[in-house]
Amino acid sequence: AQSVTQLDSHVSVSEGTPVLLRCNYSSSYSPSLFWYVQHPNKGLQLLLKYTSAATLVKGINGFEAEFKKSETSFHLTKPSAHMSDAAEYFCVVSDRRGTSYGKLTFGQGTILTVHP
Amino acid sequence: GAGVSQTPSNKVTEKGKYVELRCDPISGHTALYWYRQSLGQGPEFLIYFQGTGAADDSGLPNDRFFAVRPEGSVSTLKIQRTERGDSAVYLCASSLRDSNEQFFGPGTRLTVL
């Protein structure tokens, strides 16, 4: 079984300040982990993914995430927020074995607001 | 290249009617997935095809929902006797056979009045 908990439903930051979106996961097997972004009226776009290589994963638009097995966390960070980062972000887990293979399990989403 | 496309982009129907939602995956992607995203929620898995066959349909909520992929490319999600609770955005995604990186379409927004 796999599940994801996004610890904040809303995060608000000022432009130019750091972003932290928190995610904890549960997985029966070695998971793949993803962050997707969804801008209003747009489709889901993959930001980055972890698949058991380096634990610090770099994605598009300056985002990165660190896989911490001991804490079952995969938090998303960015050093300096931009207005265009305002969107909803989803943490996603996928078991790479077993009956859940191929199935993505999404968190509830975190809405990021960026103030000028 | 072309991404995943879904038609229609919006569908309004009345309670009790039948609807079909179409998904065109990325060319060469053998795996195809359907998800449903209700307002304020993350997408939830419905069904997964590998080629023509449904490899996992455990997410279909009940027997009013059915999906096909007869030639291993285009897929159709069919909903019978629609209910107001079926209102949601239905998302389709595709991937290469041995990859779990899924590419999503823009979705079909279904509204049941």
Side-chain angles (χ1 to χ4, degrees):
Chain A
Q2 53 191 30
S3 66
V4 172
T5 301
Q6 291 184 242
L7 299 168
D8 306 290
S9 57
H10 290 82
V11 169
S12 181
V13 301
S14 297
E15 190 175 21
T17 64
V19 175
L20 170 64
L21 305 183
R22 298 182 295 163
C23 171
N24 287 102
Y25 71 91
S26 172
S27 173
S28 302
Y29 302 102
S30 298
S32 292
L33 291 158
F34 309 82
W35 278 96
Y36 280 84
V37 61
Q38 188 173 40
H39 287 93
N41 301 316
K42 297 258 179 91
L44 286 160
Q45 181 185 17
L46 180 66
L47 271 182
L48 51 79
K49 64 176 179 178
Y50 164 79
T51 55
S52 82
T55 57
L56 182 61
V57 181
K58 293 188 184 298
I60 61 172
N61 300 335
F63 284 95
E64 61 182 39
E66 186 171 7
F67 173 71
K68 292 187 176 180
K69 186 175 181 179
S70 61
E71 299 177 10
T72 61
S73 70
F74 190 59
H75 302 332
L76 181 70
T77 60
K78 182 173 180 178
S80 176
H82 192 272
M83 296 296 291
S84 61
D85 295 329
E88 188 162 19
Y89 292 79
F90 292 96
C91 183
V92 182
V93 65
S94 176
D95 281 335
R96 288 184 284 131
R97 290 188 291 162
T99 57
S100 297
Y101 185 85
K103 176 165 56 178
L104 299 183
T105 298
F106 286 74
Q108 295 295 299
T110 299
I111 295 173
L112 175 65
T113 303
V114 182
H115 298 288
Chain B
V4 178
S5 63
Q6 292 186 245
T7 54
S9 55
N10 280 282
K11 175 70 177 179
V12 180
T13 191
E14 293 179 342
K15 180 175 178 296
K17 299 289 189 184
Y18 168 82
V19 297
E20 291 189 350
L21 312 179
R22 176 188 167 106
C23 172
D24 268 286
I26 292 172
S27 177
H29 282 193
T30 58
L32 185 146
Y33 311 80
W34 284 99
Y35 295 83
R36 177 168 72 173
Q37 186 174 18
S38 301
L39 193 63
Q41 304 291 317
E44 294 180 313
F45 170 81
L46 295 176
I47 186 169
Y48 154 48
F49 288 89
Q50 187 61 258
T52 60
D56 182 353
D57 65 358
S58 62
L60 295 177
N62 52 60
D63 62 6
R64 295 187 298 105
F65 288 75
F66 189 72
V68 295
R69 196 184 183 201
E71 297 178 357
S73 179
V74 170
S75 176
T76 305
L77 178 65
K78 308 180 180 195
I79 310 174
Q80 298 177 318
R81 304 183 304 280
T82 52
E83 300 177 357
R84 293 194 179 88
D86 299 335
S87 296
V89 176
Y90 289 81
L91 296 167
C92 177
S94 69
S95 73
L96 293 169
R97 180 181 178 86
D98 295 321
S99 169
N100 59 3
E101 181 173 345
Q102 297 178 22
F103 296 83
F104 283 81
T108 294
R109 182 176 299 278
L110 174 66
T111 304
V112 182
L113 300 176

